[in-house]
Amino acid sequence: MRPHSQSRGAWRSAHDRTVLSLACLLSLLAACSDETSTDDAGEPDGWRAQIESEDVDLRAAAVDQIAGSPGKDGLRILERLIVEDPDATVRERAVIDYAQLAGADAIPLLKDVALGDPEPAVASSALASLGAVREALAIPPRATLNVEFPDTFVPGEAFEVRARFDGAASAPKVILTLRLPAGFEALDDEQLAFRGALEAGEPQEVVFRAVAPTTPVQSGARVRLFADYPEELESDEIVRAVRVIVDERGGRFEAQPEPVVRDR
């Protein structure tokens, strides 16, 4: 397989399409389980008669049925189709079904396909499926982020925000940013962003310095850490957010209120 690079915009679009496809597939399977239809699509392993067809459309349609009735060898057949089928549409559909059926076990093959399939749509689908699987498994981030916002500050004067980050794995690309509301400015020529690398087990601290406005503010601020592990097709994104208020009492950072859940 040849290496293939995807833009993050393309990945996000593919991720959204794949998550939607997986959700639709699950809904379809649930609906089919309640039906008593006796046609071929509803029969156990009804896809077997078409999965070896030379007709691409029949083969692709058969792939869509495997997840509903995989039998003992459905996963193995999907793996073979992902690697060997000459048609990109069949491979892409097999990737989605395979991720849905195999869960965490799908991750190694999905990585291989995302890096090596020569067809952009297949590689993007594999990369998006990786994201969907990790999201479903709620895999915790490898990196850690602790942020100290000052409880209070003086409007018109400078203040500091300290961010400390560490990680269980090294990341060659780390981006740490502080986003403040309109009217706040970085002190002098400093930037409210840090770009560098993360060495496992070596904590780092970044101090952002900014000047607060004297005009009223009621908004939000956040520090975002993005750690990229490109060789493993993985990344971490951690956000720490607070409220920012400037009024007649001065300036202050406050914890974000808990979301209100309303009974229907």
Side-chain angles (χ1 to χ4, degrees), residues 17-195:
R17 291 198 305 272
T18 301
V19 170
L20 179 60
S21 298
L22 291 174
C24 291
L25 179 60
L26 289 172
S27 298
L28 178 61
L29 295 178
C32 289
S33 65
D34 295 332
E35 295 179 356
T36 57
S37 172
T38 58
D39 58 15
D40 289 342
E43 293 177 359
D45 298 356
W47 47 267
R48 294 185 183 279
Q50 299 176 347
I51 200 64
E52 302 295 340
S53 173
E54 294 184 1
D55 187 307
V56 170
D57 292 336
L58 290 178
R59 208 160 64 246
V63 169
D64 288 342
Q65 298 176 32
I66 294 178
S69 180
K72 294 182 179 181
D73 59 346
L75 277 175
R76 179 182 58 79
I77 289 174
L78 286 172
E79 290 174 351
R80 176 175 61 79
L81 293 171
I82 290 170
V83 175
E84 299 179 1
D85 199 280
D87 184 78
T89 299
V90 173
R91 296 199 307 276
E92 183 177 5
R93 293 190 183 185
V95 160
I96 294 173
D97 281 5
Y98 181 70
Q100 189 261 325
L101 282 175
D105 292 336
I107 291 177
L109 180 55
L110 291 176
K111 286 183 178 181
D112 288 344
V113 176
L115 287 169
D117 196 284
E119 179 59 43
V122 180
S124 292
S125 184
L127 190 58
S129 294
L130 271 172
V133 168
R134 293 194 184 104
E135 185 175 343
L137 295 173
I139 297 175
R142 300 181 183 187
T144 61
L145 173 64
N146 296 295
V147 182
E148 292 182 3
F149 290 93
D151 293 333
T152 62
F153 55 87
V154 179
E157 297 186 9
F159 63 89
E160 294 183 348
V161 175
R162 295 179 176 271
R164 300 181 183 88
F165 61 93
D166 196 355
S170 298
K173 177 182 177 182
V174 167
I175 302 175
L176 183 73
T177 56
L178 168 63
R179 177 177 292 181
L180 294 166
F184 286 79
E185 296 182 355
L187 183 64
D188 300 326
D189 294 328
E190 296 183 13
Q191 299 295 318
L192 300 182
F194 165 84
R195 290 173 173 80

